[in-house]
Amino acid sequence: MNWNNELTNLLSIKYPIVQAPMLGVTTPAMVAAVANRGGLGSLPVGGLSPQQTSDLIRQTKGLTSKPFAVNLFAHDIPSIDVAEAEAMQVYLSDFCYTHQLPYEPVDLKTLRFYAYQEQIEVLIREQIPVVSFTFGIIDDESMARLKAAGSRLIANATSVAEAQFMSEKNIDAITIQGIEAGGHRGSFLATDSLPMVGLMALLPQVASQVRKPLLAAGGIYNGTTIKAAMMLGASGVQIGTAFIASPESKAIAAYKDRILRATETDTRLTRSFSGRWARGIINTFMESVDRSGLAIPAYPIQNSITTQLRAVAQSQNNAEFTNMWAGQSASTTKAKPTGEIFDELIAETERLQMD
C-alpha cells in the first residue's frame, strides 16, 4: 500500500497517523514510540511553564531522532470571577468532606496561568518541526515566528465554520474533531452552543469547502475507521483513546482498567473538571458537579481549582474523583505497548487495501 500523500510529505512522516496530544496521559515515551514507527507523535504542553515545556521536549528528543509535534493551547486567559470560583471551592470542600478526601481551597490571588506566547521561544529554540494548537488560533506574530523558523502548523476545528476560518490563516493542515472524540473540545467560534457534529457528517462537508490537508479525529481505532476517514476526505487521522491503556501512558491503573471495561455509552461531555467541555468516562465527581447547578468557572480556573483533588485521587488510584478522558470508541482500547498498537493500525489498513 502506498501511504505517501500530501500530508506525509508536508510532515516528513511515513504514515499519515498522528497520536493525539493528551495532557496528563501522553508521555515522551508514547510520542517517541509513534515517531519511531513512522507516524507523528504529539507532545502536549498546553498551559505548562517554559521550563516544563523545554524539559519534556528534551526528554522526547532523547528517545527519538524522528520528527514529532508539540501541541499548544491557543485560548485567551480569562479574568477570575471571584464569587463564582469561591462558590465552587465551598462546594468542593463539602464534597471532599463527604467522601473523606483532603481539600485545601486555592488562594485565587496566587494562581499563575502560562499563555502559549511564553512557550513560543522554546519551540523555536528546540527547532520543533510541527506545532499544533487547539482551543483557537495562535496570534499572527507567533504564527509568523514559527513559520519563519520552519515549523509546520496544524489547527483544530469542530465545525465547518471553524475549518473555513482556519483555512484562511497561514496554517498547513487542519484536524477535524468529531463529537465522538475523547478529551477537550477544540471549539472556539461558538458563542451560545457547542458544535456537536459527528465526524462522519462533519468531515465530508469540510472537505468539500476547504483545500487544506485534513486530519480526522474522533472514533478512529482500526483499519476500517482509518479507511473510512480517508474515503470521506481526510489525508490522515489523529488517534488518542486507543493509546490510553498502553504502558507508556501516564493514566493511573484504575483509569486504564475503567477504559478497558467501557462501553460506547459510558462517556459524556462535561465541564466539571476543567471548565471547558470535554468527553470523559462518567464517574462520581462528574455526576455530582454536573447536578449541582453551580456556575462552573471557565478554563483554566476550574482546572486549577480541581487540580489538588485530582492529584489526591490519582495518588490513591481512585478513578471516581479524577478525569478519565475517552472517546466513544473506548470499548475497543487494548492494553498493549504503543508501538504494537500503531503496528496493528498499519497492518489492518493495509489488509483492507488488498481485499
Side-chain angles (χ1 to χ4, degrees):
M1 175 176 175
N2 181 17
W3 288 90
N4 188 61
N5 64 18
E6 184 179 11
L7 191 72
T8 58
N9 292 333
L10 179 73
L11 304 179
S12 299
I13 54 178
K14 183 176 181 180
Y15 302 109
I17 296 178
V18 178
Q19 158 257 314
M22 300 173 286
L23 196 64
V25 169
T26 300
T27 61
M30 182 186 291
V31 176
V34 170
N36 288 335
R37 287 304 209 278
L40 185 71
S42 299
L43 183 69
V45 300
L48 302 184
S49 70
Q51 186 60 56
Q52 290 173 306
T53 301
S54 179
D55 290 345
L56 287 169
I57 289 172
R58 292 184 180 184
Q59 288 176 39
T60 307
K61 285 184 173 181
L63 299 172
T64 184
S65 60
K66 302 291 186 180
F68 61 90
V70 171
N71 179 259
L72 304 175
F73 289 167
H75 63 94
D76 294 325
I77 296 175
S79 58
I80 299 175
D81 184 321
V82 175
E84 188 177 79
E86 288 182 343
M88 178 57 68
Q89 295 210 89
V90 170
Y91 175 84
L92 292 181
S93 294
D94 292 341
F95 175 88
C96 289
Y97 179 80
T98 300
H99 294 281
Q100 299 181 314
L101 295 166
Y103 181 76
E104 187 69 31
V106 174
D107 183 349
L108 299 174
K109 294 189 293 292
T110 66
L111 289 179
R112 170 72 162 94
F113 304 121
Y114 291 98
Y116 69 86
Q117 289 93 341
E118 298 175 77
Q119 300 169 303
I120 297 297
E121 189 61 45
V122 175
L123 305 191
I124 293 173
R125 184 180 68 240
E126 294 293 339
Q127 298 180 304
I128 300 303
V130 182
V131 176
S132 62
F133 44 89
T134 187
F135 304 171
I137 189 166
I138 61 177
D139 62 77
D140 290 343
E141 180 184 352
S142 296
M143 197 178 306
R145 292 185 66 201
L146 288 168
K147 294 289 283 188
S151 297
R152 302 295 191 182
L153 304 182
I154 302 178
N156 189 93
T158 65
S159 67
V160 173
E162 289 180 351
Q164 290 174 325
F165 178 90
M166 291 298 187
S167 71
E168 296 171 0
K169 299 294 183 176
N170 190 20
I171 55 98
D172 298 286
I174 306 172
T175 299
I176 306 303
Q177 184 189 36
I179 197 64
E180 309 93 331
H184 284 102
R185 305 296 298 153
S187 305
F188 62 96
L189 284 184
T191 56
D192 54 355
S193 63
L194 186 74
M196 300 181 68
V197 190
L199 183 66
M200 185 169 288
L202 180 58
L203 182 58
Q205 292 184 67
V206 174
S208 69
Q209 299 184 50
V210 172
R211 300 276 70 87
K212 303 277 187 181
L214 305 178
L215 281 159
I220 310 294
Y221 66 91
N222 63 3
T224 301
T225 50
I226 291 172
K227 184 176 181 180
M230 300 291 200
M231 292 178 67
L232 290 173
S235 296
V237 297
Q238 179 172 283
I239 300 173
T241 301
F243 298 113
I244 292 176
S246 70
E248 293 86 359
S249 165
K250 280 180 65 177
I252 60 174
Y255 180 179
K256 292 181 180 181
D257 176 68
R258 187 66 185 84
I259 202 170
L260 289 168
R261 295 185 291 108
T263 71
E264 76 282 2
T265 59
D266 283 348
T267 70
R268 75 165 181 238
L269 295 172
T270 185
R271 292 181 59 238
S272 59
F273 287 103
S274 72
R276 187 175 182 89
W277 288 109
R279 179 176 296 282
I281 296 173
I282 302 165
N283 63 6
T284 300
F285 182 84
M286 185 191 297
E287 290 191 307
S288 180
V289 175
D290 287 349
R291 287 198 309 264
S292 71
L294 284 173
I296 298 177
Y299 182 90
I301 300 160
Q302 176 74 354
N303 193 65
S304 295
I305 289 174
T306 65
T307 293
Q308 177 195 155
L309 169 59
R310 288 179 285 125
V312 168
Q314 290 166 18
S315 71
Q316 297 177 353
N317 194 36
N318 188 334
E320 290 303 315
F321 306 108
T322 188
N323 53 288
M324 295 181 287
W325 303 144
Q328 290 183 328
S329 293
S331 63
T332 64
T333 305
K334 301 173 184 176
K336 292 183 177 183
T338 296
E340 288 187 23
I341 295 170
F342 189 88
D343 289 345
E344 287 184 3
L345 293 169
I346 299 301
E348 290 170 3
T349 309
E350 290 182 339
R351 281 196 297 272
L352 288 172
Q353 188 69 19
M354 293 184 290
D355 290 344

